[in-house]
Amino acid sequence: MRKILLISNMYPNKKYPSYGIFVKKTLDMLQEKGFVIDKTVIYKSSGKFAKLIDYIIHYLKVTIKLIFYNYDYAYIHYASHNALPVLISKLIKRKMRIVINVHGSDVVPETAIQEKLQILVKRLLQISTLVIVPSDYFRNLVIEKYDLKNRIEISPSGGIDSEIFKPQSCSLSELGLNENNRYLGYVGRIDFEKGWDDLLKSFCSLKGNGGYSDVKLIIVGNGKFYLELKNQIKKYNLQNEVVLFDTLPHEKLRLIYNIIYALVFPTRRKGESLGLVGLESMACATPVIGSDIGGLRSYIKHNENGLLFTPGDVNELKEMICTYLNFSTEKILEMKANALSTSLEYNRERIKEKFISLF
């Protein structure tokens, strides 16, 4: 029976159930097939000092386990944050087999630290037995940037659990919302280049001069720029037009996806390797209005299961929202059916066997 050490600097807990949830999904699939999993992970904490301590302890644990214990594979999520202890361990334990699951900021750095870590990322990818990427877009990006010759496989971040994300009839009142309104939705981090600010500008323009009075916006998430989000809502006088929810567990997210007219996914991140929230929305038969960028291109088909717009183009985003809101009932039902059909390609059970075979 194969034994794997899972290494990640993101992993969910009760307080932060969505933090690194895709990492847990991959672990669950391996365990279901009988793999013995040992994990060394970092849970979300607040404060720079607490994070520093967490990383010191994490690096020590990873190094000790890889050197003194025997595993069939070291399976790493987030190469940039975990490269150092793995590379040190590899110098001592040369026959160690490494599988890297690469994510957005590993390849497209978003901070100065991530940029400096690129030399370690490149070395780690070059010595890996296998590199796993979430989409064909990201596979090409990784090959081009690092000139990799080793094996690269595509597996979409644990896939979509159709037992959780599925169409269901639900009332707006379950979330304290007005039954007479139509709601657009944003689900994701309030963070760097996620496009929440573009969405607010577009929505403000949409609502100008009293237009679309029945349309409201739901924003689900938290992050570094949450205070800025609230300030901009006030600046645009949208306090009565935007409903804020903190990070929600999957069961409540399903309700959000099922009551909104469309999910708006306005990311500007070149490192948007897949975009699971878009697929979760589609699994609930809700189309996506998304940026024509990164992994989103692999599943959003313009005018079929959603609409695409140029990343960062506030006016075009507004136009796409208006276009969608003015579609006929028949057109929206067709798009909802297409969205659900697309999500089935990323169903967890469908991708599980291929993912397991990689090990």
Side-chain angles (χ1 to χ4, degrees), residues 22 78 102-110 133-139 141 157 186-189 191-196 264-278 290-300 311:
F22 43 84
Y78 287 105
V102 181
H103 300 283
S105 57
D106 288 330
V107 179
V108 185
E110 297 176 352
V133 295
S135 63
D136 189 58
Y137 156 76
F138 220 60
R139 181 180 185 274
L141 195 62
S157 300
Y186 170 94
V187 176
R189 298 196 312 275
D191 212 337
F192 177 80
E193 292 290 298
K194 295 297 281 186
W196 53 270
V264 185
F265 199 156
T267 182
R268 300 187 299 266
R269 294 177 69 231
K270 293 181 180 178
E272 200 70 67
S273 54
L274 182 62
L276 273 177
V277 294
S291 301
D292 189 7
I293 196 171
L296 278 69
R297 291 173 176 156
S298 62
Y299 62 85
I300 300 177

Side-chain angles (χ1 to χ4, degrees), residues 157-200:
S157 300
I160 303 300
D161 190 340
S162 59
E163 292 299 311
I164 295 176
F165 296 107
K166 58 187 176 183
Q168 75 173 78
S169 178
C170 52
S171 169
L172 289 165
S173 60
E174 291 182 55
L175 291 168
L177 302 172
N178 190 326
E179 296 281 357
N180 297 318
N181 291 331
R182 292 183 290 172
Y183 290 90
L184 300 170
Y186 170 94
V187 176
R189 298 196 312 275
I190 313 303
D191 212 337
F192 177 80
E193 292 290 298
K194 295 297 281 186
W196 53 270
D197 47 343
D198 291 337
L199 175 55
L200 281 182

